[in-house]
Amino acid sequence: MGRSPCCEKAHTNKGAWTKEEDQRLVAYIKAHGEGCWRSLPKAAGLQRCGKSCRLRWINYLRPDLKRGNFTEEEDDLIINLHGLLGNKWSLIAGRLPGRTDNEIKNYWNTHIKRKLLARGIDPQTHHPLSGAAANAPSSRPQDQRPPAAARSSCSPQTSGAGHSSDEDSAHLGGIDLNLSLSPPSQPSSPVAAVAN
DNA sequence: AATATGCGCAACCGCTCCGTG
DNA sequence: ACACGGAGCGGTTGCGCATAT
């Protein structure tokens, strides 16, 4: 739509972040908090796009991140939530404290997809694979998009709370998922809530 | 020991949504 | 009511590391 770029690409670094850049970003956010990402790079003295700073902070530098392997509980929770919400990684991440949408997305694509396929379950529909297609991964994942509800319902307060429909407190086989959202950083421990 | 292949993670890109003037 | 700008999200890609040959 002819929108102006989010940043001056000619003057921004790309690729892997250096330690110094990380330190600058962390120091700035500690001092000023998460504010306007667009102006943050300049204010923090970083040659980076605001989007890039936000991503780096959320996915890597945030102090409350839980790094390391996913537990079986988390596995199951992700599978259940994906069955309910589709590829709404941010919503799923909201139920897993310390995990980021990017991390979950990667984990899904590299581990869980395979796991489900091995069990004969279609990772997109969560239905048993049938007949000839049983061993064939779906060729076009995008073709099987989550229900439209998932897409639109996340909009009112996508990154906050705001599912007023059945998603709000969905039940999966007796599991109360209570899908009202809280910031990923909040240690509300939904895993335990769900797993129990 | 060297090379090829596969896997996983981090980051980028483009699109959509929401708020504001 | 409309247009614009900012923020967030999901999909995709690239790079580095580990393992197999």
Side-chain angles (χ1 to χ4, degrees):
Chain A
M1 285 196 276
R3 170 173 302 179
S4 58
C6 69
C7 50
E8 275 292 338
K9 296 194 177 186
H11 300 103
T12 54
N13 293 338
K14 288 171 75 172
W17 280 64
T18 65
K19 278 190 177 179
E20 192 188 339
E21 286 176 315
D22 281 349
Q23 285 168 1
R24 276 179 186 265
L25 181 56
V26 170
Y28 183 86
I29 291 177
K30 276 184 180 171
H32 301 93
E34 297 179 42
C36 173
W37 291 110
R38 190 176 171 88
S39 59
L40 184 149
K42 200 173 182 180
L46 290 163
Q47 303 289 312
R48 289 278 180 175
C49 169
K51 284 172 93 171
S52 183
C53 294
R54 177 184 158 271
L55 206 66
R56 182 65 176 172
W57 172 253
I58 289 175
N59 288 326
Y60 201 82
L61 298 174
R62 250 176 33 200
D64 58 319
L65 287 181
K66 183 203 294 183
R67 306 194 70 80
N69 295 336
F70 282 75
T71 64
E72 277 296 319
E73 275 185 2
E74 287 175 313
D75 262 27
D76 291 341
L77 183 59
I78 292 169
I79 292 168
N80 286 339
L81 288 169
H82 185 272
L84 197 68
L85 301 170
N87 295 358
K88 292 292 167 188
W89 307 118
S90 60
L91 294 183
I92 295 171
R95 312 310 307 161
L96 289 155
R99 301 295 189 186
T100 70
D101 53 356
N102 206 36
E103 193 178 10
I104 292 171
K105 180 170 60 181
N106 282 333
Y107 187 66
W108 176 270
N109 286 325
T110 54
H111 291 90
I112 299 183
K113 252 187 182 177
R114 252 179 265 165
K115 189 173 169 179
L116 291 180
L117 286 170
R119 291 182 190 169
I121 297 171
D122 187 323
Q124 288 300 322
T125 63
H126 294 258
H127 294 315
L129 291 165
S130 56
N135 292 325
S138 54
S139 53
R140 294 268 311 181
Q142 278 97 335
D143 292 345
Q144 184 57 52
R145 304 203 61 115
R151 184 165 197 82
S152 55
S153 65
C154 72
S155 49
Q157 293 173 12
T158 298
S159 43
H163 293 267
S164 56
S165 65
D166 13 9
E167 285 178 13
D168 225 349
S169 57
H171 293 260
L172 286 170
I175 300 173
D176 183 358
L177 287 173
N178 182 23
L179 289 178
S180 62
L181 295 177
S182 55
S185 56
Q186 288 208 350
S188 53
S189 188
V191 175
V194 168
N196 294 334

